[in-house]
Amino acid sequence: MSTRPFRADIVGSFLRPAALKAARQSHADGRLDAAGLRAAEDAAVADLVTKQADAGLLPATDGEFRRSWWHFDFFDFLEGVDIVELDHGIQFRGVQTKPRGVEISGPIRFDPAHPFLAHYSALQEAVGGSTGAVPKFTIPAPTVLDFRLEPDHIIAKEYDGRDAIVDDLVQAYRDALAAFYDAGARYLQLDDTAWAYLCSETELAKARERGIVTDGIAERYADVLNRVLAGKPDDLVVTTHVCRGNFRSTWISSGGYEPVAEQLLDVVDYDGYFLEYDSDRAGGFEPLRYLPQGDKAVVLGLVTSKSGEPEDPAAVKRRIDEAAAFAPLEQLALSPQCGFASTEEGNVLTEDEQWAKIRSVVDIAADVWR
């Protein structure tokens, strides 16, 4: 298995510390300028990098501390894509997000001045050479934009319908990967809710209401992603995280990976897959049989980020053994099931509980893969 994903890895986001929340609120209120907010973010990221290393992690993320959303912040700075207010949010179990969505207003391009490039450079600087950590950076997958695009929200005259945006979307992402690589990135993760929703008949029905043709959609999405990944440098590791929804410790979809496993694990040219396996909503490990022998890895999300309740290490190890019946142990790894704060609100647990989860992942992985 490649050194990335690591045996003990992370999805990416962390709970925002109180000082950072206060700084963001002060900036929103006009009491703190952009430079002051950036300084607060830099300090929070530097502290987070240290805490990740102290917990025994080899990857280091910026916790997505500079974002409000795991996906909309990235999309908003693509040329031709706007984040607009809708009459509804995204419906989770018992709660709804702020009413935001994507709109295509012009030709889709990756802006070489996209602020996430500066965010990556700041993470790389915070990591430095002293911790031995590897900077890991997360962005949403292009399939997320397609899956969340609602009817009547392609207003650009350049595109006659949903299918017409694909070529430009693919090229924008190819340009994004090249720009991150040129900035020094060697470990990127494309976060993706679409694949999990393809495992849910309920979410597929909602997708059809949004004008998406769901017959053959897994094959179409595999083709889109492989076009994005085609020709990437050999030393650029690109993984994905498949998420069933993560907002204030709630979720959206249920369904095992079987409907998409062959396309996702065998056909798509990702280097690794972070798969949620913290509840029965993810089904069994049987779909892992589609993971081809070789360098690809599946990172088992067996430690939940949705609550502070600690897992029994022995139970986690038993589940890793169960997964190893369908995929080689040397191609498996361990992580939390999702990030701890896919939006700035964060999940319902404390920072101490968060770090206990991380240390548990590190300790269990050290025991399993000696």
Side-chain angles (χ1 to χ4, degrees), residues 1 261-268 270-273 275 285-300 323 326-333:
M1 187 179 80
E262 184 172 8
Q263 289 296 317
L264 179 62
L265 299 178
D266 188 23
V267 175
V268 181
Y270 280 127
D271 297 300
Y273 306 85
L275 301 184
F285 294 117
E286 292 82 358
L288 299 184
R289 69 188 184 278
Y290 287 109
L291 183 71
Q293 289 193 347
D295 293 331
K296 282 189 175 187
V298 164
V299 186
L300 302 169
F326 299 98
L329 181 63
E330 61 269 21
Q331 287 179 249
L332 300 177

Side-chain angles (χ1 to χ4, degrees), residues 329-341:
L329 181 63
E330 61 269 21
Q331 287 179 249
L332 300 177
L334 181 65
S335 76
Q337 141 268 339
C338 194
F340 293 94

Side-chain angles (χ1 to χ4, degrees), residues 197-236:
Y197 298 160
L198 301 190
C199 301
S200 165
E201 284 301 323
T202 300
E203 294 306 314
L204 285 172
K206 293 178 183 177
R208 288 189 286 270
E209 292 175 1
R210 296 195 296 275
I212 296 176
V213 177
T214 58
D215 290 344
I217 191 170
E219 289 78 6
R220 294 203 304 275
Y221 278 176
D223 179 67
V224 167
L225 292 168
N226 278 344
R227 289 173 62 191
V228 168
L229 296 168
K232 75 173 180 65
D234 289 341
D235 61 339
L236 174 61

Side-chain angles (χ1 to χ4, degrees), residues 16 37 42 51 56 75 83 151 161 218 225 228 230 241 245 249 260 280 309 329 369:
R16 283 25 169 201
L37 176 60
D42 288 346
K51 287 180 176 177
F75 292 149
I83 302 304
L225 292 168
V228 168
H241 166 58
S249 293
V260 302
D280 58 7
E309 185 70 23
L329 181 63
W369 292 279

